[in-house]
């Protein structure tokens, strides 16, 4: 799952984000100070301190790029021919839009804001709807408007051509100013903003709703905000019905609530995809008459509010997903008061809740236990996370300061940290005008009574803050002077007053200092320094200042003793120290006792500068000349002030899975402090990072291979020795249900016996199924060596989990053995046991071969076939498929063993080289490379109705009709309540909603019409349409494990890896993909030892693409949305993205949907599942000449590195879909299209197949059984010697 962000704003106006995968607040770049933000996953909207609206758009490897177009129109006349100056009065303008209704000159197309820039100048589009135009891009017609064509005819009197130009949004990763309602921003400033609405039912993808409130209480809506136009167009006022608003909140499903000046809350009703601003406001009654709300925040089903007195309220009964059916679901039923006093609250897109404590603005709280069944959650949990970026002190610097004062420069690791500090702060100078902490406690304005009062205030620090690190204590400049009595303050004064009375500050400075300390007292940490580099949390209670300083003196003395014992020659201060008070009585600065050289003789610039600054301060009479050993802290006091308090938090863009919480609450590693910041030096950090990278290092793989080879050589001489135990066997038994293949087809009880053995009887293992046929006892038995696949399947006649066993014979007949289990656990046990036993017999254990064939099913299961040298001659029904862990929609392999996959939700995954995961646990799974994997997809059911003359369309059908709630076939009843998730690994993440964009289209209410069941459906009602249906969908999510690593951050719909990369090569591997919105992407930095690559490179196109394939020599082919194909030219190592596109028209006007490029051949599939071959593709003419039709009934095609052709067939009797097929007799260049098909492969739900890594070596010379096999093995048909195969088998 890609990382999302929690946004927050502090009192200094700085904005921070917290990633769900991180443990530190990161400051958002920008010079704008903000008051509040409203975040989504795509962007964030904010209100600046100048009360203007700002927009922050995350940068992406796919740019925001929009096309501007205009049409040039001309009419023919006998005098001048075609001209745009002699149009008829009734004609359109010479420059217009596509419909000709508006004048649209090229110069009139301007940039919408300064945040956009033109990519290039205007140019002519020579490809219209997949077909090339005439020379110059002209299209001809009889008149305006009419049907245009690319050729000029005798009656073509008008023509037009399309000019296009692209603009790109440039204000990413920065705050962009959005124009206000008026030109003068001070006329009516904004006070609040809310963004959301990305999940509104059936709205265009990427659309967003943005609402604002002005200081006058008026509400405005930002029009035309979507992914390709993040700024929107203009502000539209929404009637507030006479109620002045102060705050507004918007959920992901356009649940909109607002708060008025009187403390009322109201909800906006009537918001739909056609009317995004809604129709009216409805006031929500308060829980009590004296409750006046101040703030409200909404999600999908969660509405939280704050009232006066910092009380928290939760609204029950709200469900925005049911707003289309019941508008009352937007209002809810009742208020529930929650525990806690909060100053601000924010609800996320999946109803997760964050808040700010009313008594402690330095801590953000998260509501734990929020689930779909318990929306109010259980408890508040503080996020003890530090800030990062320029606003916070780096942990390495804090460690360096500790090293300075502890005089531990004899350790080389600590010297590294001091060097980092010197590099980080080269220009630090002490401030002479600012009094030190010691002087502040000894001035005339600080009497012992006042010091005692301050100590009493500091006693109120919360227990949770006692865990802060020593770095923060030192950075605040006051963490070591905590006292609880006048005595402690007096002890401090006895040693500090003589040196600091001359440094008294002015009265205004003292007032400012006291206010600062009072404001940030809650951040003071009760810690004392252990000058070995760690910190020691103080025990509950108090400790006087003298005791603290005494501890420091003893530590310094120990350090001195240690150095003297080691023979170090350093100058030390000889001033005596009092063991009772712990106060230095000398007048020498503490830094004078620190040697400026490290243990290796090198000089330390930080210590030298510290001594120099101290000596300057003494010479100038500055208060920096303190006699204590802690006076050096004062020079850095300004840099390490406490962080400002939080004033706003927004979780609108932070998606947290209920079942997989972020690592915000995990215990920090041993090398981090209490807030997650690293306490290690640079060398230590590098060492830990190196440990993380060891498991995937190339040298480690090489060592493992060498160890394996050594073990093989050592064990090989003993292979002929007889085993002490020749054979061991065991039997797994169970009671299941068996689907009878013979009539009557039904489920019957059965007993299974799975016999397994080891030793000499390994190949005698059998599978036996005992069942009753009427009154007779029968059994089904076959050897495990005959099994070619075991997988889970769907079966409409049984709600229990079902799996199927395929043998070679049953695969050819498409009749597997179906068995039903009582529980999911039982099914996993049987599938795992049979699969592992068969894999052992077939010799296919461990990780798949780099040349393996990968495939996926409609359930998301992943299967792999390890090729053999005889693969081209092996019938497809004898191919052994074993399952891999994970859940993906497609898996694409390529040269060098690089394997990528794409989930049903578009997330990209990279194969790590492991095996197992999912149901394969323990020894059946590799020890490394297994990661948690998530995927999501929609479950569909259909609502069916029939028309009758009395009631119209209703759910009362004929007795022969399908179920009124069914699956797509109508044979299985599927209701909303009865439809379950596919397995127990799945869980629902949304409610049932209408799908307004099903295949074939639908009307405004989602209905599709037809003459009868079943028939072809359309999105409008005809005069003879008597039935209708509409599709309902619900999103489900799975959490599993597998040998897959997520590749951030873009969502993809197709991917392809270079087909001809040899094993062991270190050259970059070409990997191309199609983004979710049709963008073409090129992956950089992909090599065999680093298959995930580095980053994506966007390749510009004039229209969205649907499919991509990388053939031999990095030749890239894609199919466009209009059905045409494109070939990318100019791809080299220096130009991996190529230079230009060559347009390839679709064959006979049939739109292409998929293309696959092999070593030297190109194959494609059109929308009607026809298979096409690109003829005359050569090295000098790689785009070929024409398309040749080959075969129907093909869903997808995959071409291998040796131009092998494998397909998934659309339908194979007796009812299987997605059957694996193989083209026989393919020989380049003699017979590039092959001779015949082998359609006996496994099937029934296969949706993707990839053989693009399958390089099969030539088989040894042998006896051939038929002419087809001889042809495949490389015998020339007419005795020629032009075969690409070197071997020539003899028949």
């Amino acid at each position: 799952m890609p990382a999302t962000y929690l946004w927050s704003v502090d009192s200094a106006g700085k904005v921070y984000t917290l990633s769900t995968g991180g443990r530190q607040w990161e400051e958002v770049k920008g010079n704008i100070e903000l008051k509040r933000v409203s975040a989504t996953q795509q962007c964030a909207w904010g209100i600046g301190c100048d009360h203007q609206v700002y927009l922050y758009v995350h940068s992406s490897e796919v740019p925001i790029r929009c096309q501007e177009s205009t049409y040039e129109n001309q009419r023919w006349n006998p005098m001048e021919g075609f001209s745009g100056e002699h149009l008829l009065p009734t004609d359109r303008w010479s420059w217009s839009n596509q419909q000709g209704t508006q004048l649209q000159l090229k110069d009139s197309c301007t940039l919408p804001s300064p945040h956009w820039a033109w990519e290039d100048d205007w140019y002519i589009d020579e490809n219209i709807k997949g077909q090339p135009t005439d020379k110059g891009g002209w299209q001809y017609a009889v008149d305006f408007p009419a049907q245009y064509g690319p050729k000029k005819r005798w009656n073509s009197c008008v023509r037009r051509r399309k000019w296009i130009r692209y603009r790109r949004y440039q204000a990413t990763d920065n705050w962009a100013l959005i124009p206000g309602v008026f030109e003068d921003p001070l006329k009516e400033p904004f006070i609040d903003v809310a963004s959301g609405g990305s999940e509104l039912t059936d709205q265009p993808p990427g659309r967003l709703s943005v609402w604002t409130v002005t200081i006058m209480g008026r509400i405005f809506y930002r029009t035309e905000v979507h992914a390709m136009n993040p700024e929107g167009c203009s502000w539209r006022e929404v009637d507030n019905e006479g109620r002045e608003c102060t705050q507004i909140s918007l959920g992901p499903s356009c649940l909109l609530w607002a708060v008025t000046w009187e403390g009322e809350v109201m909800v906006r009703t009537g918001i739909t995809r056609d009317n995004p601003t809604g129709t009216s406001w409805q006031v929500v009654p308060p829980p009590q008459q004296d409750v006046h709300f101040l703030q409200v925040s909404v999600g999908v089903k969660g509405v939280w509010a704050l009232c006066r007195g910092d009380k928290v309220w939760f609204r029950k009964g709200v469900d925005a997903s049911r707003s289309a059916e019941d508008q009352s679901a937007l209002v809810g039923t009742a208020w529930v008061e929650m525990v806690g006093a909060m100053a601000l609250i924010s609800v996320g897109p999946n109803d997760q809740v964050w808040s700010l404590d009313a008594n402690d603005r330095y801590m953000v709280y998260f509501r734990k236990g929020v689930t779909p069944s318990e929306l109010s959650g259980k408890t508040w949990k503080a996020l003890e996370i530090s800030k990062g970026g320029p606003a916070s002190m780096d942990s390495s610097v804090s460690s360096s300061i500790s090293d300075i004062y502890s005089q531990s420069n004899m350790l080389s690791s600590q010297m590294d940290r001091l060097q980092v500090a010197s590099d980080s702060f080269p220009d630090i100078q002490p401030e002479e005008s600012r009094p030190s902490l010691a002087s502040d406690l000894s001035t005339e304005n600080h009497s012992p009574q006042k010091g005692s009062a301050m100590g009493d205030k500091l006693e109120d620090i919360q227990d949770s803050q006692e865990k802060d690190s020593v770095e923060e204590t030192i950075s605040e400049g006051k963490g070591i002077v905590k006292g609880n009595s006048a005595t402690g303050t007096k002890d401090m004064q006895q040693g500090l007053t003589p040196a600091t009375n001359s440094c008294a500050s002015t009265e205004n400075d003292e007032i400012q200092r006291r206010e600062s300390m009072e404001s940030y007292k809650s951040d003071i940490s009760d810690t004392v320094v252990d000058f070995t580099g760690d910190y020691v949390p103080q025990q509950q209670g108090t400790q006087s200042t003298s005791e603290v300083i005494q501890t420091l003196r003893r530590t310094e003395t120990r350090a001195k003793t240690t150095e003297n014992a080691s023979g170090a020659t350093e100058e030390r201060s000889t001033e005596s120290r009092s063991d009772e008070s712990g106060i230095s009585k000398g007048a020498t600065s503490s830094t004078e006792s620190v040697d400026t050289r490290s243990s290796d003789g090198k000089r330390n610039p930080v210590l030298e500068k510290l001594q120099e600054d101290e000596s300057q301060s003494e010479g100038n009479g500055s208060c920096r000349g303190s006699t204590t050993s802690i006076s050096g802290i004062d020079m850095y006091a300004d840099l390490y002030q406490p962080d400002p308090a939080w004033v706003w938090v927004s979780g609108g863009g932070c998606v947290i899975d209920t079942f997989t919480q972020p690592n915000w609450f995990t215990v920090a590693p041993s090398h981090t402090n209490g807030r997650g910041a690293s306490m290690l030096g640079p060398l230590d950090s590098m060492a830990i990072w190196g440990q993380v990278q060891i498991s995937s290092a190339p040298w480690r793989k090489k060592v493992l291979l060498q160890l394996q080879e050594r073990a093989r050589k050592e064990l090989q001489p003993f292979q002929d020795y007889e085993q002490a135990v020749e054979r061991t066997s065991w039997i797994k038994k169970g009671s299941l249900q068996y689907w009878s293949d013979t009539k009557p087809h039904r489920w019957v009880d059965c007993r299974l016996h799975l016999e397994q053995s080891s030793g000499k009887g390994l190949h005698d293992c059998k599978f036996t199924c005992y069942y009753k046929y009427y009154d007779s006892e029968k059994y089904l038995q076959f050897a495990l060596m005959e099994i070619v696949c075991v997988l889970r399947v769907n079966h409409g006649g049984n709600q229990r989990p079902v799996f199927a066993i395929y043998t070679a014979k049953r695969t050819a007949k498409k009749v597997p053995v179906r068995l039903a289990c009582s529980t999911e656990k039982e099914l996993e046990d049987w599938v795992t046991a049979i699969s592992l036993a068969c894999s052992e017999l077939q010799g296919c254990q461990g990780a798949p071969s780099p040349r393996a064939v990968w495939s996926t099913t409609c359930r998301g299961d992943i299967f792999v076939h390890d090729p053999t040298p005889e693969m081209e001659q092996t019938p497809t029904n004898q191919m052994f498929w074993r399952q891999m862990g994970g859940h993906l929609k497609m898996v694409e392999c390529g040269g060098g063993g690089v394997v990528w996959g794409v989930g049903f939700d578009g997330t990209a995954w990279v194969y790590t080289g492991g095996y197992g995961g999912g149901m394969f646990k323990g020894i059946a799974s590799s020890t490394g490379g297994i990661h948690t994997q998530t995927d999501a997809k929609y479950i569909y059911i259909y609502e069916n109705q029939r028309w009758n003359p009395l009631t119209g369309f209703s759910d009362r059908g004929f007795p022969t009709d399908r179920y009124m709630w069914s699956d797509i076939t109508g044979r299985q009843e599927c209701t909303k309540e009865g439809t379950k998730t596919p397995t127990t690994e799945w869980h629902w993440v949304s409610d049932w909603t209408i799908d307004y964009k099903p295949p074939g289209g639908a009307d405004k209410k989602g209905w599709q019409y037809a003459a009868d069941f079943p028939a072809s459906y359309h999105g409008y009602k005809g005069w003879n349409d008597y039935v209708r249906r509409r599709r309902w969908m619900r999103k489900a999510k799975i959490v599993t494990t597998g040998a897959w690593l997520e590749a951030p951050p873009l969502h993809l719909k197709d991917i392809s890896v270079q087909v001809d990369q040899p094993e062991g090569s270190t050259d970059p591997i070409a990997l191309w993909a199609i983004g979710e919105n049709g963008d073409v992407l090129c992956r950089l930095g992909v090599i065999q030892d680093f298959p995930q690559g580095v980053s994506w490179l966007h390749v510009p196109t004039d229209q969205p693409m649907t499919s991509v394939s990388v053939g031999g020599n990095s030749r890239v082919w894609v199919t466009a949305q209009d059905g045409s194909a494109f070939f990318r030219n100019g791809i080299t190592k220096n130009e991996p993205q190529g230079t230009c596109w060559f347009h390839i028209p679709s064959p006979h006007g049939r739109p292409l949907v998929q293309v696959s490029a092999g070593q030297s051949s190109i194959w494609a599939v059109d929308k009607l599942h026809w298979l096409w071959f690109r003829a005359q593709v050569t090295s000098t003419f790689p785009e070929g000449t024409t398309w040749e039709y080959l075969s129907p009934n093909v869903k997808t095609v995959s071409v291998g590195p040796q131009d092998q052709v494998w397909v998934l067939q659309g339908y194979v009797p007796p009812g299987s879909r997605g059957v694996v097929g193989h083209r026989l007799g393919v020989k380049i260049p003699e017979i590039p299209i092959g001779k015949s098909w082998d359609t006996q492969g496994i099937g029934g739900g296969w949706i993707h197949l990839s053989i693009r890594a399958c390089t099969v070596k030539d088989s040894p010379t042998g006896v051939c059984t038929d002419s087809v096999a001889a042809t495949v093995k490389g015998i020339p048909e007419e005795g020629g010697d032009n075969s690409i195969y070197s071997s020539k088998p003899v028949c």
Side-chain angles (χ1 to χ4, degrees), residues 142-202:
V142 177
D143 201 355
F144 299 119
Q147 186 69 29
Y148 295 90
K151 300 298 182 180
K152 182 181 180 300
R153 302 180 182 276
W154 64 272
N155 58 347
S156 299
C157 299
V158 296
R159 69 176 183 180
R160 71 173 185 180
R161 61 180 174 182
K162 182 180 180 182
W163 292 77
I164 57 177
R165 190 181 190 184
Y166 284 90
R167 53 184 172 90
R168 179 174 297 197
Y169 187 75
Q170 293 185 322
T172 56
D173 284 345
N174 202 353
W175 291 103
L177 176 63
I178 305 300
V181 180
F182 304 98
E183 294 184 0
D184 184 5
L186 299 179
K187 186 174 182 179
E188 190 170 353
F190 294 100
I191 61 173
D192 194 21
V193 63
S195 59
S198 59
E199 298 179 7
L200 181 63
T201 303
D202 193 40

Side-chain angles (χ1 to χ4, degrees), residues 1101-1137:
T1101 58
D1102 291 338
Q1103 60 176 313
M1105 301 295 170
T1106 59
S1107 174
V1108 64
S1109 183
V1110 184
N1113 298 322
S1114 301
R1115 296 169 181 170
V1116 178
W1117 286 71
V1118 297
T1119 57
Q1121 194 175 44
D1122 59 11
S1124 60
F1126 287 86
F1127 168 74
R1128 188 67 175 176
N1129 187 43
I1131 297 179
T1132 61
K1133 290 185 178 180
N1134 298 328
E1135 293 286 341
Q1137 75 277 16

Side-chain angles (χ1 to χ4, degrees), residues 1113 1115 1160 1176-1183:
N1113 298 322
R1115 296 169 181 170
S1160 57
Q1176 299 180 7
V1177 174
T1178 63
S1179 58
T1180 57
F1181 200 72
E1183 62 269 29

